[in-house]
Amino acid sequence: MTIRTRAVVLALSAASVLWTVSAATAQQIPVKLGILADMGGAYSDIGGMGVVEATKLAIEDFRKRPGADKLKIDLVHADSQNKTDIAAGIARRWIDNEGVDAILDLPTSAVALATIPVIQEKNKVALVTAAATSDITGKSCSPNAVHWTYDTWAVSRGTAAAVTKAGGKTWFFVTADYAFGHALERDAGAVVVENGGKVLGAVRHPFENKDFASYLLQAQGSGAQIIGLTNAGADTINTIKQAAEFGIGLDGKQKLAGMLLFITDIHSLGLKVAQGLNLTTAFYWDLDEKTRDFGNRFAARHGGRYPSMTQAGAYSSTLAYLTAVQKAGSAKDGRAVLAAMRDAGTFDDPLFGPTTLRIDGRAVHRMLLLQVKKPEESKKPWDYFNVVATIPAEEAFRPLKDGGCPLVK
């Protein structure tokens, strides 16, 4: 072979390799996820960068599945600052200019309700894993939104029912004064009345409040047996800490009931303060072999901190979404992707167990009623709960017919 001939062969071989690589790249399905979370505010502990780590774990685990190499997956994240205008603006920019196909987390109910219409207009997908209001699958339901982890109806149904049935018949609520708090107070109050209790009143406080003295005094003055905390994150932590300073919950006359508590809240409070509290959650890392595996892998990457249910929801929903994109053959048509997810029927989610996606966007799975352990009962780091009951999927969430979702016929 002459030098000239060899050069021609090498050139043709290089061109063939480049063509093969280009063809393989062209055949890949591009899909881009955007995490819109609270990175530094009241909900950063339950979400924040932990959501990013959980989503990365989901992408890594998905890539181990057969055929997963057909998807070219990218990930971006941003701080919503818990402001509706900022969140909606980021969502619009991501979709219009950066090719984002699905947005997950959405840390507050107000942010979710403001952002979902933008996502619907662009026919992309909202994976709501952090916002709580049950209106997301009720009057404000969307064909482009999935409410994955929990909602105000579900957490109220577990905790408020258990406390009322145990003898806590009179209630007074301390409520975060925005969409989430209002929905949680509404849903919890309905459960109290349904189980033979009575709501004596409520007081509402600003979001990200610091001083709860006046609100707690009103709750104490109500004479209610149960002070229901219809707030979340740092607001709940501050309420419980300041209640202890007033002796509320310690003298036996009145008890606190947190309607939305996370494992990260218990970690911040400590078992000495939090012991005995009931809470309803979609996820506990120490429940079984699969949840422990995820919890330990997550903690190893997140400074030893174990996952909240919203962080677990990011992992779970990402896996389900990517599976649906693979089935649909494209991420561009959001409604088609969600149709593929619904068509999967009931699938065995590694963290939440058997899960089904309904037409109203509600992901239906089991919920857990937990009780915070006494300090002497905890045997290892983040060993915080006893499982009181498992709430079956068919009981855990509001019946489809009762939500008022316009998509339900």
Side-chain angles (χ1 to χ4, degrees):
M1 183 182 293
T2 67
I3 295 175
R4 180 181 178 84
T5 303
R6 185 181 294 114
V8 170
V9 170
L10 289 173
L12 289 172
S13 298
S16 176
V17 170
L18 287 172
W19 182 88
T20 302
V21 171
S22 299
T25 302
Q27 291 172 358
Q28 281 190 309
I29 302 167
V31 54
K32 193 168 186 177
L33 296 165
I35 297 170
L36 193 51
D38 177 356
M39 296 298 183
Y43 300 143
S44 58
D45 210 20
I46 62 178
M49 289 303 297
V51 174
V52 178
E53 291 301 334
T55 306
K56 287 180 178 178
L57 275 170
I59 294 171
E60 291 167 16
D61 288 350
F62 175 78
R63 282 177 171 150
K64 299 172 186 175
R65 295 181 175 182
D69 58 344
K70 292 181 180 178
L71 270 62
K72 181 182 180 297
I73 307 166
D74 291 312
L75 177 66
V76 293
H77 61 83
D79 186 357
S80 73
Q81 300 180 44
N82 296 328
K83 295 180 179 178
T84 57
D85 56 339
I86 290 176
I90 292 171
R92 190 174 295 278
R93 186 188 78 238
W94 272 354
I95 296 169
D96 287 345
N97 302 331
E98 299 180 34
V100 168
D101 300 295
I103 297 176
L104 65 149
D105 193 282
L106 301 176
T108 73
S109 295
V111 162
L113 292 172
T115 306
I116 289 171
V118 176
I119 297 170
Q120 178 176 328
E121 174 194 336
K122 305 295 182 178
N123 192 22
K124 299 303 178 182
V125 172
L127 297 171
V128 185
T129 55
T133 178
S134 58
D135 290 343
I136 291 170
T137 54
K139 64 182 182 180
S140 299
C141 69
S142 165
N144 293 78
V146 176
H147 205 180
W148 195 264
T149 315
Y150 71 103
D151 60 34
T152 52
W153 195 97
V155 293
S156 300
R157 186 66 34 174
T159 307
V163 173
T164 307
K165 288 176 181 177
K169 297 297 185 182
T170 55
W171 288 63
F172 187 94
F173 290 108
V174 178
T175 301
D177 192 12
Y178 77 103
F180 148 69
H182 299 174
L184 188 55
E185 180 189 315
R186 175 197 67 204
D187 290 344
V191 174
V192 169
V193 173
E194 182 181 317
N195 285 278
K198 184 178 181 181
V199 178
L200 303 184
V203 63
R204 293 174 175 175
H205 65 80
F207 175 54
E208 294 191 283
N209 194 50
K210 303 298 182 186
D211 185 1
F212 288 87
S214 63
Y215 309 110
L216 287 167
L217 286 173
Q218 289 182 63
Q220 195 173 38
S222 73
Q225 294 170 290
I226 307 297
I227 299 175
L229 306 182
T230 37
N231 50 18
D235 284 336
T236 300
I237 292 169
N238 287 332
T239 308
I240 294 173
K241 285 181 176 178
Q242 291 174 39
E245 295 172 6
F246 282 96
I248 297 173
L250 303 177
D251 57 8
K253 295 179 181 178
Q254 290 180 310
K255 294 182 179 180
L256 299 176
M259 293 297 98
L260 183 56
L261 286 167
F262 297 86
I263 191 170
T264 46
D265 300 333
I266 306 307
H267 184 74
S268 296
L269 289 165
L271 295 184
K272 185 177 180 181
V273 173
Q275 60 182 307
L277 284 171
N278 289 108
L279 64 140
T280 304
T281 183
F283 172 83
Y284 178 36
W285 76 269
D286 203 18
L287 181 68
D288 57 35
E289 185 178 340
K290 290 181 179 179
T291 59
R292 278 189 287 275
D293 175 68
F294 170 71
N296 288 326
R297 287 193 296 145
F298 177 91
R301 297 168 60 143
H302 195 52
R305 299 181 68 81
Y306 280 75
S308 70
M309 67 169 162
T310 62
Q311 290 158 345
Y315 173 92
S316 171
S317 63
T318 297
L319 272 182
Y321 173 76
L322 293 175
T323 302
V325 170
Q326 186 179 22
K327 182 179 178 182
S330 172
K332 299 308 175 187
D333 185 339
R335 294 188 184 97
V337 173
L338 294 189
M341 196 182 293
R342 286 194 298 273
D343 289 346
T346 300
F347 55 91
D348 190 18
D349 182 84
L351 303 188
F352 295 165
T355 300
T356 308
L357 179 62
R358 298 191 316 205
I359 189 64
D360 62 349
R362 178 69 260 168
V364 178
H365 46 72
R366 72 187 174 208
M367 295 289 285
L368 304 169
L369 179 62
L370 308 179
Q371 187 174 60
V372 180
K373 290 183 174 182
K374 297 176 182 177
E376 61 270 20
E377 293 178 316
S378 180
K379 305 303 180 185
K380 57 188 175 183
W382 295 77
D383 173 23
Y384 292 158
F385 301 122
N386 290 313
V387 179
V388 177
T390 298
I391 305 170
E394 61 271 19
E395 299 175 16
F397 293 94
R398 182 178 57 205
L400 183 63
K401 63 182 178 62
D402 295 339
C405 171
L407 301 174
V408 179
K409 298 179 182 179

